[in-house]
Amino acid sequence: MQLIDGKKTSAEIKAEIAEEVKKMNRKPHLAAVLVGHDGGSETYVAHKIKSCEEVGFKSSLIRFEDDVTEEELLKTVEKLNNDSDVDGFIVQLPLPKHIDEQKVIEAIDPKKDVDGFHPVNLGRLVAGLDSFVSATPSGIVDLLKRYNVETSGKHCVIIGRSNIVGRPLSILMSQKDIDATVTVCHSRTENLKDITRTADILVAAIGRPGFVTADMVKDGVTVIDVGTTRVKSDQTKSGWKLKGDVDFDEVSKKASLITPVPGGVGPMTICSLLKNTLKAAKQR
Ligand code: NAP
């Protein structure tokens, strides 16, 4: 079994981005909007800002309390859309229940939608046109490429069909230059184990710790674990740790390649966000 090291790969990609930034006459600028104080969201946004510094981007953080109104948030989105100094921005999800997430996503200018969540970018992806591809699927494809995982004609099974991971990844994996045969599974899928056992590449994007067990995979499979659920832990200083959707200890015995959690897909997601921001800056 070989570990797919997202941390190492993302460091390589960041170094490549930093080199490109040095050649530019202005720093790309990524803005992040963060609502409330959810521990997970705070951590993700802090990592994104730190990564911007590492590659020489300008970054800014706009914070709101949980009780921010939808109107106020939409006004901020509009301001960022019109701010010529900002190349791309993200609104960290999830948002509080009283705010319509989809409305906020659709208010973002697709040209600045570096998360790739806007229906215009999703639609362009489906049509095979140039777009901002959502960061996690794009990071997964980069990992597979950098680890020379054969995808052409291979069976890629994705568990999860969300608009930010499973569905866009299924489109990417079936595209012409990747050429995988893709099966998307979800909570209504029957005989899931029979399907996952046929996977050459298995992607778990469910949000249920340890869901994929050794009896669900075949020998030699490549496993990509997207799941990041925060669970209580007495082994860490914070009292929390991240757990993936895959039973790593058991599944890794059968896999030829596998991503760990943390240190697999997570760092690659941030890299893709940086790549999208660089692209947005170049396109302006
Ligand atoms: P989501 O929107 O909640 O979607 C979960 C998917 O899993 C749904 O399609 C759901 O099916 C499916 N599912 C749930 N239970 C299932 C079961 N028993 N059998 C088969 N399928 C089942 O989640 P998401 O936003 O895609 O995120 C998934 C996980 O990835 C989460 O842990 C999230 O934190 C993590 N994540 C990590 C990164 C990263 O950078 N590492 C980025 C994004 C997300 P239905 O559609 O039928 O409900």
Side-chain angles (χ1 to χ4, degrees), residues 44 135-136 159-167 185-189 192 204-208 211 225-229 243 245 264-270:
Y44 295 138
T136 304
I159 318 177
R161 57 176 164 181
S162 71
N163 283 344
I164 62 168
V165 189
R167 204 180 296 281
C185 303
H186 44 78
S187 64
R188 302 295 175 96
T189 299
L192 181 65
I206 316 158
R208 298 182 66 168
F211 182 89
D225 189 352
V226 186
T228 46
T229 307
K243 275 212 82 155
D245 287 340
V265 173
M268 293 301 293
T269 297
I270 295 180

Side-chain angles (χ1 to χ4, degrees), residues 177-243:
D177 56 334
I178 300 179
D179 294 315
T181 303
V182 181
T183 303
V184 181
C185 303
H186 44 78
S187 64
R188 302 295 175 96
T189 299
E190 290 181 0
N191 306 320
L192 181 65
K193 198 189 286 185
D194 292 342
I195 300 169
T196 56
R197 274 171 153 161
T198 67
D200 301 302
I201 300 164
L202 179 65
V203 182
I206 316 158
R208 298 182 66 168
F211 182 89
V212 176
T213 47
D215 59 333
M216 292 173 74
V217 302
K218 71 175 179 188
D219 285 322
V221 64
T222 294
V223 179
I224 305 291
D225 189 352
V226 186
T228 46
T229 307
R230 270 159 54 92
V231 295
K232 288 212 160 129
S233 167
D234 48 20
Q235 294 152 3
T236 62
K237 228 163 70 184
S238 64
W240 296 94
K241 70 173 180 181
L242 284 185
K243 275 212 82 155

